[in-house]
Amino acid sequence: MAIDVEGFINEEIAKSDGALAEDWREMLDFYNRKLWHQLTLKLLQFVKKPELSTGTALINLYNNLVKDFEHKMKPIALVQIVIPSFKQFPTSDEGVKFLQEIKEKVKSSKDAVVLCLTTIGDMYVAEQRYPEAKIIIRECEGELDELEQVCIAHSMFYRLSSEYYRLMADYTNYYRDALRYLGCVQLSDISKDDQAQMAYNVGLAALLGKNIFNFGELLMHPVLKSVEGTEKAWLIDVLAAFNAGDVTVFESLQSKWSTQPDLAASQVILRQKISLLCLMEMTFRRPATDRQLTFEEIASQTKLPVNEVEFLVMRALSLGLVKGKIDQMNQKVFLNWVQPRVLSLDQVAIMKQRIDQWCANVKSMEMLVEDTGHDILS
């Protein structure tokens, strides 16, 4: 059955006043003049109006206007226009059915498909339908792999997946996808309260994730500034202590971080983790020509008994954090590699000193060759 677009819009004009009525008149003008691009841009803004957020106003808008020329829109624009109407369906399953139909219409566009799926996934998470949400996440991952550029679909997906992993207490995957989400959006698009909550959650995940040993990216991210000067500011100090492998600072902050239930319940894991990071930092700070560490030196820095040092080093080797060998007889460790990490400014300064020293050594060798080369050649 043909859609009476003009009749619908005229009816809406009669029911509206002020700016809203003017918006309807402008859309009618675009429609009559077949200015589809301009009409699409107008609709992208129009669907955000609070006057349309109640009842079935957005569903009616789709059925009586958008549906008439949806084939002339870019797929991603169509999805962005219909997403706000998702919540106006009587039941969530009806909303899912609607978006599944839209997904079929835009299946030629991977980013539009992901946008449909993530909207459905957000609903599943909100309703605690976690098995269904997991299926959506897996399906989205397959679609995202085929996208060549970062787009809005990535930010929507990482927002969904990070929230899912947070609720599942999967700290490692939450940390990874939350940072990816922050890398896809502008912080100005996130409210101050949401920034502070995300910074706090990501910081806790970094500490609690058993396989997370790289804190530099988070410490350099401006989102952490949202907790500066608040009662949660201690988290930044704890993260900095872990990044530097500073056991002394970590222990001095125990009165603060132990007030957080998850951290208090994971004291043993945290102690093991910072000991590993301390060993990594000791290796990093040593020149490449002097990476022989004694058990006593490691015990002193990590504040562990000497008889636990060998196990610590074996653990670091098994996790791929360092490479080398253990001389159990002489109680020494020879390490020739440490896992690359995002460096803090202090660590960059150490790297600069090391490069400067290397340059000086090369210059010294050059002068030595110049001074003795004649005798060798002759």
Side-chain angles (χ1 to χ4, degrees), residues 194-212:
D194 287 346
Q195 285 184 41
Q197 189 60 52
M198 174 159 275
Y200 183 67
N201 290 338
V202 176
L204 291 181
L207 296 172
L208 294 168
K210 292 183 180 180
N211 297 317
I212 298 174

Side-chain angles (χ1 to χ4, degrees), residues 29-41 69:
D29 178 58
F30 288 150
Y31 179 82
N32 287 331
R33 295 164 60 192
K34 294 182 172 53
L35 299 176
W36 309 125
H37 177 67
Q38 289 84 343
L39 181 54
T40 299
L41 295 179
F69 75 105

